[in-house]
Amino acid sequence: GREVVVKVRRPGVVEQVQLDLELLRRTASLVERRSTTARLLQLTALTEELEQHLRAELDFREEAHNAELIAGVIEEYRDDVFVPAVIHPYVTEEVLVLERVDGTKVGDGPALDPERSRGLARTFFRAYIRQVTVKGLYHADPHSGNVLVTADGRLALLAPTPRVPLHAV
């Protein structure tokens, strides 16, 4: 009885990513053997880090955890900014189920009242500052396709991928 969004991992994507990563590993190794600049850039280490992030992106349990993590961090701003709820127990490595949020991409829909727009922008900024300075992580993909304006004038953050700021490392 509840409207949800279901995200399903495409068949064969894990195998394709594995092939792509193997090609990247081999290329990075070859280039590092032949180039001082490549060694300075640590291409092999960058490839390993990319692999770690890609593997996490392929596991929708990780994405569900990330959504709940960011939702908790910005909880105090929920009247203005929120993350759609994860619907347990339907989340698996291959399937993500979230509450459905109707809205329009920022900038695509009817304009909000200018005062409300300024207020949302301030709150959005404060939520980011809190994520980085207080919690040491942040939603790393806040482009216009991942931020919706809901009918009730709030911002919904979709597909949160938390990252630790460089200064915290």
Side-chain angles (χ1 to χ4, degrees), residues 2 20 23 26 33-35 40 59 66-67 89 91 119 121 131 136 146 152-153 159 161 163:
R2 185 174 186 180
D20 292 347
L23 178 62
R26 288 180 182 185
R33 285 194 307 268
R34 297 174 185 233
S35 167
L40 287 172
D59 185 343
N66 293 342
V91 175
Q131 289 173 59
N146 280 344
D152 63 358
T161 303
R163 295 285 187 260

Side-chain angles (χ1 to χ4, degrees), residues 97-113:
V97 182
L98 300 169
E99 80 174 296
R100 179 183 167 95
V101 174
D102 289 318
T104 56
K105 293 178 185 176
V106 172
D108 284 357
L112 291 173
D113 171 81

Side-chain angles (χ1 to χ4, degrees), residues 102-164:
D102 289 318
T104 56
K105 293 178 185 176
V106 172
D108 284 357
L112 291 173
D113 171 81
E115 188 173 323
R116 178 66 178 149
S117 291
R118 282 190 296 276
L120 282 176
R122 280 191 299 274
T123 301
F124 189 74
F125 181 73
R126 285 183 183 123
Y128 260 81
I129 294 299
R130 175 175 172 68
Q131 289 173 59
V132 173
T133 61
V134 176
K135 297 298 183 176
L137 55 88
Y138 61 96
H139 183 303
D141 199 17
H143 60 77
S144 63
N146 280 344
V147 181
L148 298 180
V149 179
T150 63
D152 63 358
R154 297 187 299 156
L155 297 177
L157 298 180
L158 309 178
T161 303
R163 295 285 187 260
V164 176

Side-chain angles (χ1 to χ4, degrees), residues 19-142:
L19 287 172
D20 292 347
L21 287 169
E22 182 58 32
L23 178 62
L24 276 172
R25 278 192 296 274
R26 288 180 182 185
T27 303
S29 177
L30 174 71
V31 172
E32 275 193 349
R33 285 194 307 268
R34 297 174 185 233
S35 167
T36 304
T37 303
R39 283 189 297 277
L40 287 172
L41 292 173
Q42 300 180 11
L43 291 185
T44 300
L46 287 171
T47 301
E48 290 169 0
E49 186 172 342
L50 176 64
E51 179 174 1
Q52 188 177 30
H53 287 291
L54 281 175
R55 290 189 188 285
E57 297 268 336
L58 291 172
D59 185 343
F60 289 152
R61 296 171 299 189
E62 183 75 20
E63 189 169 333
H65 172 74
N66 293 342
E68 291 173 326
L69 186 63
I70 296 296
V73 170
I74 65 169
E75 174 69 19
E76 72 180 76
Y77 302 104
R78 72 180 168 276
D79 290 342
D80 292 323
V81 182
F82 70 99
V83 174
V86 174
I87 310 298
H88 292 285
Y90 304 107
V91 175
T92 69
E93 184 177 348
E94 299 174 341
V95 177
L96 176 65
V97 182
L98 300 169
E99 80 174 296
R100 179 183 167 95
V101 174
D102 289 318
T104 56
K105 293 178 185 176
V106 172
D108 284 357
L112 291 173
D113 171 81
E115 188 173 323
R116 178 66 178 149
S117 291
R118 282 190 296 276
L120 282 176
R122 280 191 299 274
T123 301
F124 189 74
F125 181 73
R126 285 183 183 123
Y128 260 81
I129 294 299
R130 175 175 172 68
Q131 289 173 59
V132 173
T133 61
V134 176
K135 297 298 183 176
L137 55 88
Y138 61 96
H139 183 303
D141 199 17

